[in-house]
Amino acid sequence: MKKHNKFILGVLLLVTLLIACSKEISDDVIEIFTIETSETIVDSFLEIPKAIELTIAADKAFVIGDFDLKYEITNGSGTVTIGDTETFEENTYIRLESLVNKIYYKGASSGSNTILVTIKDRNDREVTIELTYNVEDPGFNFKVIPTPVSGYIGGTIALDIDMTITSASNNITYETKYSVSGATDITGLGIVLIDGEALATDTYVTTPAEDFSWQFAGERLGPVKMIFTVKNNLGVEIHKDVEIAVTETPDFTFKANAMASTALINEGVTIDFIITETVGASTYIMNYITSNEGSLEYNGIVYEPGDDIEIEAGQTTGNYTGIDIAEHTIEFAVININTIPVQNNATVNLNYKEPDFEAPVIELNGNSEIIINAGEAFIDPGVTVSDNIDAVEDLVISIDGTVDINSPKTYSIKYTVADTSENEASVTRTVIVVDKELPVITIAGDDPLVFKIGSTLQYPNATAIDNVDGNLTDAIIVTDSVDQDKIGEYSITYTVTDSSMNIGTAIRKVIVIRDNPPIITLKNGPSVFNAVRGGVYVDPGATATDDLDGDITSQIKVNNEVKLTTPGDYKVTYTVTDSYDQTVSKVRNIEINDTEKPVVTLSSIGFQIKKGSVYVDPGGTVTDNVDNFTFDDVEILGLQDLDTNTPGLYTLDYIIEDTAGNISDLEIRLITVVE
């Protein structure tokens, strides 16, 4: 390709400004600027930027920022860059920050590429020059591919350099070098290696016209930016930027867990291997040793102790088989395949024993047949087990069968014991739930029942309840022997039978008299009282009349159980007997309630204590209308938050609940911890 000598292209821009004033014309100053360029016809290579230097000169002083530049590609295709400025669009002016500028053109098509470069000054006067780039295909290109894209301190990664050769010539040779972006020395950053030998920066080495691989070893954390350059003997250079992230050296944890602790000889035990990668990723090799003879199957391959086993990260499974009757201690070691390897160990203990065909022994504790009453709790006495080989804690006991204590019948409970060799033995216990409890009949109404001769007797009801069958009222049978026309004492018998043939009986006494029994009338009075400490219940009383004896109120006998000091339900029973020995009773029901809250009184509501001292509560008093409390019964809230070592204001809450559920008002004490 023909080269041209440097020449100066002078462009003279003449601008005449005419100013008319009173029909007089004067000449204004003509400003002229020129553009000097090193060459206008340039040889370049495809996709490789080529620079031309443009210098702006003028006969009058110009300042930076007075000039703008634009370009237009009239033939061919490519991109234009000014200095370190990013590529900009065609026919778009950009401000020039210097009077001397380098124009970079990177041709995207081979052949003659023509560019029109236009510069204008602050008065919008323009100068345009034409640049011609003869773009040739350099005959090669390349890529640098880190595999993987990141490495770690002490480890190496491959730098795969993929060469693309388009030249048909066999006489072209290639050299390759690298440099560190932004650094004059790679020391401490990392090392580029060729077959393990370090390569100095900015040092060309002959490389083949085909794909090849170097290596990179990182020496510090963080990104390392490098520039790789390949040039041929024709002087064509191509640059590629590569950035590699250097991370910490890979690390991991390793566990080995056996799915059983005991096994028979020649029997395999599953072992889970768990490799958890904590930093980076690696490949791994595992080996093992064992205290007794055995082997490990992994991924369908049997490995003897000391063999290297390729193992994957995550959870995988192996199978160990021991052939010695003994305790096998298997020690596993896993190492990652790194320049600086990391090793982790794990140990598994397995007890191998000889085959066992003898069943364990199982015996019932207590009787083989147990009888309990319905509703009574059944406490299983259990069993005692033993085995010729296995320890008791290694035997597995299962129980089949349950007992419903509320349903009388015969139940069976089967106990089975199995040893680690799956030999089994069993025993059975019989539990009989019986119902020997009689139904309970409750007579409603008066007993004895007194009525006048010749009147019609109306029998009050009775109810029956059974511990198993529940309500049997409808099954009650009533036997009546009363002669209503004859004075005397009689009985009415109530009988009921439950499902277990238990018979319950109740008898009501019936008295036939000549006249009616006395009538007791209660005087009005409240039935509900509030509990009062030391209080006395004053009963309103009752009156009694008889159709023959008249007013017999004075003969009433009163049984008064009421205690105003103790909440609860009480009865006052009034009883009177007429001259015919007819006795009647009437009951007044009294309810004593406690609705009064306890009262907590603090001895002081606020005080100070010194930092570091021990807090002693000053106490107080508690009063209640029923309960006898001391201040020790009061619940103090907030003590757990009181820190006498930390100055500040603390709050303690005092509260108490009486036996009736009445809760006192909350009392508050303020504690100030001071220095």
Side-chain angles (χ1 to χ4, degrees), residues 450-512:
V450 180
F451 71 99
K452 189 176 180 180
I453 188 171
S455 61
T456 300
L457 177 61
Q458 299 292 333
Y459 297 122
N461 296 329
T463 57
I465 299 297
D466 186 67
N467 64 318
V468 174
D469 298 332
N471 193 332
L472 294 177
T473 300
D474 293 341
I476 295 176
I477 298 175
V478 181
T479 302
D480 181 4
S481 63
V482 178
D483 185 350
Q484 302 181 20
D485 297 323
K486 184 178 180 180
I487 296 174
E489 292 187 1
Y490 304 91
S491 63
I492 300 174
T493 302
Y494 302 85
T495 304
V496 69
T497 304
D498 65 15
S499 58
S500 298
M501 304 308 295
N502 299 306
I503 300 175
T505 302
I507 298 176
R508 187 198 301 274
K509 184 178 180 181
V510 178
I511 302 174
V512 179

Side-chain angles (χ1 to χ4, degrees), residues 536-611:
V536 177
Y537 169 72
V538 179
D539 188 70
T543 61
T545 59
D546 184 72
D547 56 354
L548 295 180
D549 297 336
D551 186 357
I552 54 174
T553 300
S554 60
Q555 300 178 33
I556 295 176
K557 296 180 180 179
V558 181
N559 182 17
N560 185 351
E561 303 175 351
V562 180
K563 297 179 182 178
L564 281 178
T565 58
T566 306
D569 295 329
Y570 299 92
K571 293 181 180 180
V572 179
T573 303
Y574 307 86
T575 304
V576 68
T577 303
D578 66 8
S579 57
Y580 289 93
D581 292 329
Q582 297 182 94
T583 300
V584 294
S585 298
K586 203 155 191 177
V587 175
R588 184 193 303 276
N589 294 308
I590 302 297
E591 180 182 343
I592 306 300
N593 294 325
D594 179 13
T595 60
E596 186 173 335
K597 297 186 293 185
V599 176
V600 177
T601 303
L602 301 179
S603 60
S604 63
I605 62 173
F607 59 91
Q608 294 182 345
I609 62 174
K610 292 183 178 180
K611 175 184 175 182

Side-chain angles (χ1 to χ4, degrees), residues 4 6 108 280 423 516 535:
H4 298 271
K6 179 178 179 182
N423 301 305
N516 295 320

Side-chain angles (χ1 to χ4, degrees), residues 108-267:
S109 60
S110 58
S112 178
N113 286 225
T114 303
I115 308 169
L116 296 181
V117 177
T118 300
I119 296 177
K120 72 175 181 178
D121 65 8
R122 60 177 178 267
N123 294 317
D124 291 335
R125 289 172 292 213
E126 297 180 345
V127 174
T128 300
I129 64 173
E130 181 179 273
L131 302 178
T132 300
Y133 287 83
N134 295 316
V135 181
E136 293 186 8
D137 189 341
F140 76 98
N141 205 339
F142 75 100
K143 294 184 293 185
V144 181
I145 305 173
T147 308
V149 294
S150 64
Y152 53 86
I153 296 176
T156 60
I157 65 173
L159 298 172
D160 294 325
I161 302 179
D162 295 343
M163 298 287 290
T164 303
I165 307 299
T166 58
S167 173
S169 174
N170 295 324
N171 298 320
I172 300 177
T173 60
Y174 299 89
E175 292 181 308
T176 304
K177 73 171 184 177
Y178 80 98
S179 59
V180 180
S181 178
T184 58
D185 188 2
I186 197 173
T187 303
L189 298 175
I191 304 172
V192 173
L193 306 169
I194 301 177
D195 296 330
E197 297 294 330
L199 175 64
T201 58
D202 295 312
T203 301
Y204 277 109
V205 293
T206 301
T207 52
E210 58 187 29
D211 297 345
F212 58 93
S213 181
W214 291 353
Q215 300 84 42
F216 173 79
E219 295 182 336
R220 77 167 188 190
L221 297 178
V224 177
K225 298 180 179 180
M226 293 179 289
I227 303 170
F228 285 82
T229 302
V230 175
K231 73 175 181 178
N232 61 16
N233 56 345
L234 301 178
V236 180
E237 291 186 356
I238 299 180
H239 308 278
K240 298 294 182 183
D241 294 334
V242 174
E243 181 174 322
I244 298 174
V246 180
T247 62
E248 294 181 359
T249 301
D251 199 2
F252 68 98
T253 61
F254 171 58
K255 294 180 181 180
N257 300 319
M259 297 298 101
S261 59
T262 61
L264 301 178
I265 58 172
N266 298 316
E267 180 180 75

Side-chain angles (χ1 to χ4, degrees), residues 362-375:
I362 182 169
E363 296 177 346
L364 291 172
N365 295 331
N367 298 327
S368 61
E369 181 177 289
I370 297 177
I371 300 175
I372 63 172
N373 293 321

Side-chain angles (χ1 to χ4, degrees), residues 85-99:
T85 306
E86 293 184 359
T87 301
F88 60 100
E89 296 181 358
E90 289 185 68
N91 296 312
T92 300
Y93 276 110
I94 65 169
R95 182 60 49 86
L96 295 177
E97 301 298 333
S98 173
L99 297 178

